[in-house]
Amino acid sequence: MTVSFPQLLDAAESRMQTDGSCTDLIQSLCKQLAFETDAEAVALVAWDGSNRIPVLQLGPQLKDEYSVDAVPPGRVLHKKILHDKLLLQAAAQVSGGMTIVLMSVYASDVNADELLTAVIEVIADLYRRRLLEAASSKDAAHRDQLNLLSCLHQSLDSNVVANTIATDGVVLTAARTISVAHRLGKRWTVVAATGVSHPNDRSDAIRNTLVAIKEAGQDTADAQDTGKSPAVVVRPLNVPSDFQSARWVAVFDLPDDAGSKQAINRVGVDLLCHHGALALANCERYASSSVSNQIKHFGRRLIRPGSLLSIIVAAALIACLFLLKTELRIEAYGELVPVDRVFMFAPEDGTIEKVNFDDGSDVTTSDALCVLSNEDLQVQLEGLEGRLSESTARLAAIAALKGRPNADSEARLLSAEQLELEARAKSLTQQIQIMERRMAALILTTSKNGRIYGDRLEELLTNRPVQRGQFLFEVANPNGEWQLELKVPELDIRHVLHVVQKDDADRPKVRYALETSPETTHEAILTSIAGSTEVQSDGRLTTLVVVDVGAEQYSTERPGTGVVAYIDCGRYRVGYVWFRKMIEFVQRNAWR
């Protein structure tokens, strides 16, 4: 025998791919070992210290009295057996209390100790993995079972419980389909079925289910397993299990290839029916004692088609919609802002060198809020000053020339140049004054005392280049008057305008709440309505509505606090107030 263990392992993997009788690598290894070593029989036995567990048998059956407990792991034990044949035994540890033993029978002596030692170690590892997979699969099945039973008891709605039994119970019981039926009086109704969202009593499957339930009711010999059809099992869902008093039943449809009722998992069926019966009993007790369920039951009777009470209630509701009136309130969103406020913009293009105040600081008209720099303005100012100096120097020179004796011949030319230079110097002086004012404006001040508001002023503005007219921050007086600036949608502003035009002296009331304190509601009077419509960033058309709200209670609020307001627009019929959006949609699209 010249085969090595790596060659044996490769051959075993090839055999497993080509030999259909090899179910796993353990069987393939044993077959290849028997082939390569000319073994007459190969057997695998798991030994847990007291019991022999047969794992694999190839060839003639080995006698059970062959001892396997004395085989030391890592060595091969040689024994002479019947007819002078050689029995080789090799063992490997699978776990703390289990050893797996490889036994092979040969007609003559064979040098296979090293090969058997390597093979049994691999087989022990493969067998250990097989045991772990089996344990993991069993644990997963147990967890799925617990999750299903937990779902049954989580709801107090009988329809939810019935659907859980029908949909999730097939995994636990191995049934093809499960149907759950409920009895009202003498009539059975299927309320849930596997793969069906709304069971139809006219379908063939539901009819067959009802027939099976009827036959099971007639055959009460075996209350635990009723149903005359060999492919159907009908179980009552009540405790104790009694079909005659049961209000719920479960019908288990066996797989198509099942020849008898033994095809389903009876333990799973018993467990599912027991817990399903308990969960449905809890649902019925809750339904009989719950006030809300009694109200729902009364509501179902009330809306039953054709009942006199439902017709009277519908007529009363329609009459209320047309006869009763209620207040129409237009919803608007906006912000709370001070009346006395100033928006600060960049006076020139430049770079902000320094911000002297933080957000929320009090400022006065004499404070320098921030300082801008503009090198272009500085260069222009220096250029103008240089040209003015040149003109001034030339005027002084002309005055000196005109004062010399015998300068009458040049006096006329010098006078003309002097007039030109005086006009230029006057223009340059005015330009310098304008430029100095522009330079002075780079130190930004406010025209009103108040408080500065802006998000992270120093971080966002320092060393930041800005353009002329760019918004920088806001200065407002929080101790003065405050107002609401509401954005009313274009579709709703007509109701507000109608109230104002109808009685301009009696302005509509506005009820509002700040988003920072929604639990407190305030009331004010509408002050003014903008004469134009604005387009918002999202494309909606809105009209600005201003509401003065006084000064006392908002001195601690921040400008721009969100507001939800409702504007009273008079009394209208209840039907119009409730369905106004729908009515206006029809009105807008009626001409199409």
Side-chain angles (χ1 to χ4, degrees):
M1 180 187 62
T2 60
V3 66
S4 63
F5 175 71
Q7 294 174 339
L8 176 68
L9 187 59
D10 292 339
E13 290 179 352
S14 300
R15 175 185 288 270
M16 189 173 62
Q17 299 294 331
T18 57
D19 190 352
S21 62
C22 293
T23 58
D24 57 8
L25 188 56
I26 293 178
Q27 186 177 12
S28 179
L29 271 172
C30 292
K31 283 190 175 182
Q32 192 64 30
L33 177 65
F35 174 77
E36 297 290 348
T37 60
D38 295 328
E40 296 183 357
V42 174
L44 279 176
V45 176
W47 176 256
D48 61 0
S50 58
N51 298 317
R52 295 165 53 100
I53 305 172
V55 178
L56 179 67
Q57 177 67 50
L58 299 177
Q61 183 72 31
L62 297 181
K63 294 183 178 180
D64 292 341
E65 56 267 21
Y66 294 154
S67 176
V68 298
D69 56 339
V71 181
R75 293 177 56 189
V76 177
L77 186 63
H78 296 248
K79 288 185 178 181
K80 287 291 184 177
I81 58 175
L82 189 63
H83 303 299
D84 293 331
K85 293 185 178 182
L86 177 64
L87 171 64
L88 300 184
Q89 293 179 311
Q93 194 79 15
V94 176
S95 62
M98 178 174 289
T99 303
I100 191 166
V101 181
L102 173 64
M103 298 182 291
S104 58
V105 178
Y106 299 94
S108 60
D109 290 339
V110 60
N111 184 16
D113 292 9
E114 183 178 352
L115 186 61
L116 263 65
T117 303
V119 169
I120 192 59
E121 290 293 338
V122 173
I123 290 177
D125 184 63
L126 295 175
Y127 189 69
R128 187 182 303 112
R129 294 184 183 183
R130 180 191 292 180
L131 295 178
L132 289 175
E133 291 175 359
S136 176
S137 177
K138 185 177 180 180
D139 290 343
H142 185 62
R143 286 195 301 270
D144 293 341
Q145 177 181 350
L146 292 179
N147 290 334
L148 171 59
L149 299 181
S150 176
C151 290
L152 288 177
H153 296 286
Q154 283 180 353
S155 176
L156 291 174
D157 188 345
S158 58
N159 290 327
V160 174
V161 174
N163 276 284
T164 302
I165 295 174
T167 55
D168 299 339
V170 293
V171 178
L172 180 61
T173 62
R176 188 171 65 90
T177 60
I178 301 176
S179 302
V180 180
H182 183 222
R183 178 163 58 185
L184 294 175
K186 296 183 179 180
R187 184 173 178 271
W188 288 95
T189 303
V190 177
V191 297
T194 305
V196 180
S197 57
H198 300 286
N200 185 0
D201 292 340
R202 298 182 179 181
S203 65
D204 293 339
I206 300 301
R207 288 181 178 178
N208 294 335
T209 300
L210 295 175
V211 169
I213 296 174
K214 183 178 179 181
E215 293 176 350
Q218 297 172 355
D219 183 10
T220 60
D222 185 5
Q224 295 296 324
D225 193 1
T226 56
K228 295 182 179 180
S229 172
V232 176
V233 173
V234 181
R235 295 289 297 272
L237 297 177
N238 63 333
V239 180
S241 181
D242 180 15
F243 192 89
Q244 298 302 321
S245 61
R247 293 173 53 83
W248 296 84
V249 296
V251 180
F252 299 88
D253 189 6
L254 304 187
D256 293 336
D257 57 350
S260 68
K261 297 175 184 178
Q262 302 298 328
I264 63 174
N265 183 353
R266 288 188 169 275
V267 176
V269 170
D270 294 339
L271 201 60
L272 179 66
C273 292
H274 177 73
H275 285 273
L278 295 176
L280 290 172
N282 290 335
C283 294
E284 292 187 343
R285 282 195 295 270
Y286 171 75
S288 61
S289 60
S290 173
V291 177
S292 61
N293 281 276
Q294 295 294 336
I295 295 175
K296 290 180 182 179
H297 181 66
F298 175 75
R300 285 193 292 268
R301 290 192 302 167
L302 182 64
I303 64 175
R304 184 181 304 163
S307 66
L308 178 61
L309 183 59
S310 62
I311 295 174
I312 294 174
V313 171
L317 289 176
I318 294 174
C320 291
L321 293 178
F322 284 96
L323 298 178
L324 299 181
K325 290 187 176 182
T326 187
E327 190 72 32
L328 173 62
R329 293 185 174 90
I330 298 300
E331 185 180 49
Y333 296 87
E335 56 186 11
L336 176 71
V337 296
V339 175
D340 188 11
R341 58 177 176 162
V342 177
F343 297 104
M344 307 303 296
F345 302 94
E348 296 287 344
D349 294 345
T351 302
I352 298 178
E353 290 186 347
K354 184 179 181 182
V355 178
N356 297 323
F357 294 92
D358 294 330
D359 181 22
S361 301
D362 292 329
V363 295
T364 63
T365 56
S366 61
D367 293 330
L369 305 182
C370 66
V371 179
L372 285 76
S373 64
N374 189 317
E375 295 181 356
D376 293 338
L377 290 181
Q378 185 66 35
V379 170
Q380 293 178 27
L381 178 60
E382 292 177 357
L384 292 173
E385 290 176 345
R387 292 167 58 189
L388 179 60
S389 298
E390 292 177 0
S391 299
T392 304
R394 180 58 180 168
L395 285 173
I398 291 174
L401 291 174
K402 290 177 67 175
R404 291 185 307 169
N406 301 322
D408 295 339
S409 59
E410 298 179 2
R412 189 175 297 174
L413 294 175
L414 293 174
S415 297
E417 185 179 359
Q418 183 179 11
L419 292 175
E420 179 182 355
L421 290 173
E422 288 176 350
R424 182 183 300 172
K426 182 179 180 181
S427 174
L428 290 172
T429 300
Q430 293 176 350
Q431 293 181 47
I432 289 173
Q433 293 174 354
I434 295 173
M435 194 62 64
E436 288 176 345
R437 287 196 297 270
R438 293 179 64 183
M439 291 290 294
L442 294 178
I443 301 176
L444 199 63
T445 60
T446 177
S447 59
K448 295 182 179 181
N449 296 334
R451 187 172 296 164
I452 188 171
Y453 294 102
D455 183 23
R456 295 182 298 167
L457 293 178
E458 186 174 356
E459 293 87 343
L460 295 180
L461 295 183
T462 303
N463 299 323
R464 177 179 178 178
V466 294
Q467 295 180 343
R468 183 187 180 108
Q470 181 177 340
F471 174 76
L472 301 180
F473 46 82
E474 174 185 349
V475 176
N477 181 15
N479 298 318
E481 299 288 331
W482 288 72
Q483 65 184 15
L484 305 181
E485 292 184 354
L486 305 177
K487 303 290 186 179
V488 180
E490 187 69 10
L491 297 177
D492 298 330
I493 193 63
R494 65 188 184 98
H495 298 289
V496 183
L497 292 173
H498 177 72
V499 176
V500 175
Q501 294 169 359
K502 184 178 180 181
D503 189 357
D504 187 64
D506 187 14
R507 293 301 180 101
K509 294 181 180 180
V510 179
R511 294 176 176 85
Y512 66 95
L514 303 182
E515 292 185 353
T516 54
S517 54
E519 71 282 355
T520 306
T521 303
H522 308 275
E523 187 174 301
I525 303 298
L526 187 144
T527 304
S528 63
I529 302 176
S532 61
T533 300
E534 300 178 356
V535 181
Q536 302 300 314
S537 58
D538 57 359
R540 294 184 301 111
L541 298 176
T542 60
T543 301
L544 177 64
V545 173
V546 178
V547 181
D548 290 336
V549 295
E552 296 180 358
Q553 53 186 345
Y554 301 115
S555 59
T556 59
E557 294 290 343
R558 284 183 59 88
T561 300
V563 174
V564 181
Y566 294 89
I567 305 173
D568 292 346
C569 295
R571 297 180 65 81
Y572 289 80
R573 289 185 176 87
V574 174
Y576 179 77
V577 175
W578 287 1
F579 304 104
R580 177 172 61 88
K581 297 294 184 181
M582 184 185 303
I583 294 172
E584 291 177 352
F585 175 81
V586 174
Q587 291 174 345
R588 289 194 302 270
N589 294 274
W591 57 272
R592 290 186 179 180

